[in-house]
Amino acid sequence: MRVRTPLVVGNWKMNGLKASAAELGRMIEGYGPELRWKVQMAVCPPATLIQTFCVAALGSRIWIGAQDCNADVSGAYTGDISAEMIADCGGGLVIVGHSERRTKYAESDAQARAKAEAARRAGLVSVLCIGETEAERLAGEAIAVIDSQLAGSVPDGATGSNLVLAYEPVWAIGTGLTPSNADIAEVHAHIRQRLVARFGREGEKIRILYGGSVKPANASEILGIADVDGALVGGASLKAADFLAIASVYA
Ligand code: PEP
């Protein structure tokens, strides 16, 4: 029996308009009882669609979340939304520390950690992203980078019910490239060992997703690797058929 329920999260990034609710509708239709028992599914649309999607997904068990949040409850942060606002819309989770936020907006480990703490304060689950760049992997520094991100961005008091980790090698995001199965296995086993060293038995309950060019064609291979508890999916989560095909690996 699995210790952790598999989770497949879709990150829609800056894609989607109100009409995209139809795509969510197809996901809801395809997320039947045979799948619901086996795998939890979540969709993180742009902030403009969170409320619409939450209403559309009511009763479907598809979890709706956000792609980022500010660490404060409210205040003078033009353009930002807080974890409380996401919860107020009905959202249940939020992605924090995504590599696109870390590189394009220079977000630090400390900020990712503060956002994960804000998510917990608001009753949300955070999906905290970590992963090395191509240069770091080529330099043999992947594990050291992961260690430093884990130390800097995972909050104290993390549990299997308030935190999900996503290992996303930066060079695999949106590129069609993926690490070898052995490399994914090595990093996931390492993260698991670090979580257990820090959180004891609770560290066994924190799910570790893999993210980076997961598609229907490679999902079964990647999701079958030890300590891979699901996937964070970008491009392939925009189409219900592809997203459901990935989740159906668990059916
Ligand atoms: C992501 O944005 O987190 C991601 C994994 O994207 P993609 O699946 O498109 O590589």
Side-chain angles (χ1 to χ4, degrees):
M1 211 184 86
R2 284 181 177 272
V3 188
R4 300 169 292 271
T5 304
L7 171 65
V8 177
V9 180
N11 172 15
W12 279 28
K13 312 195 188 195
M14 199 171 72
N15 296 292
L17 299 170
K18 275 189 284 181
S20 314
E23 206 60 42
L24 177 71
R26 285 187 272 278
M27 291 177 188
I28 292 168
E29 262 170 51
Y31 190 47
E34 71 294 344
L35 212 48
R36 278 187 225 155
W37 283 109
K38 305 275 175 60
V39 55
Q40 191 171 9
M41 289 184 79
V43 176
C44 298
T48 48
L49 292 176
I50 295 172
Q51 180 139 32
T52 310
F53 276 30
C54 282
V55 171
L58 266 182
S60 73
R61 306 236 199 114
I62 290 199
W63 219 9
I64 304 299
Q67 300 169 17
D68 184 38
C69 68
N70 189 290
D72 279 354
V73 179
S74 60
Y77 300 102
T78 302
D80 282 7
I81 58 171
S82 69
E84 281 74 8
M85 290 170 179
I86 296 162
D88 189 45
C89 287
L93 72 162
V94 58
I95 298 169
V96 298
H98 191 280
S99 69
E100 286 155 16
R101 304 284 325 169
R102 291 177 185 263
T103 54
K104 295 180 184 168
Y105 302 92
E107 286 190 6
S108 64
D109 282 328
Q111 281 169 300
R113 178 184 178 126
K115 290 177 181 201
E117 283 166 349
R120 186 169 65 199
R121 181 188 68 215
L124 304 178
V125 172
S126 45
V127 180
L128 171 62
C129 304
I130 55 173
E132 81 286 356
T133 62
E134 185 178 27
E136 289 162 345
R137 174 150 290 272
L138 292 175
E141 293 165 359
I143 293 292
V145 169
I146 298 292
D147 274 343
S148 135
Q149 291 176 333
L150 284 172
S153 54
V154 176
D156 291 335
T159 67
S161 9
N162 64 34
L163 186 85
V164 172
L165 270 171
Y167 167 55
E168 298 209 300
V170 179
W171 51 274
I173 297 178
T175 58
L177 302 171
T178 52
S180 68
N181 292 355
D183 286 342
I184 296 176
E186 183 198 11
V187 174
H188 279 242
H190 183 79
I191 295 172
R192 174 70 57 215
Q193 183 248 310
R194 285 285 187 261
L195 291 175
V196 171
R198 184 165 163 196
F199 299 110
R201 292 192 60 190
E202 199 57 44
E204 290 280 2
K205 299 185 188 156
I206 297 173
R207 289 174 282 191
I208 309 171
L209 312 184
Y210 167 79
S213 296
V214 177
K215 312 270 178 237
N218 61 18
S220 145
E221 202 180 331
I222 292 174
L223 297 178
I225 298 171
D227 268 313
V228 173
D229 301 313
L232 178 53
V233 186
S237 70
L238 292 168
K239 288 272 163 265
D242 290 345
F243 196 43
L244 287 164
I246 292 169
S248 296
V249 165
Y250 292 106

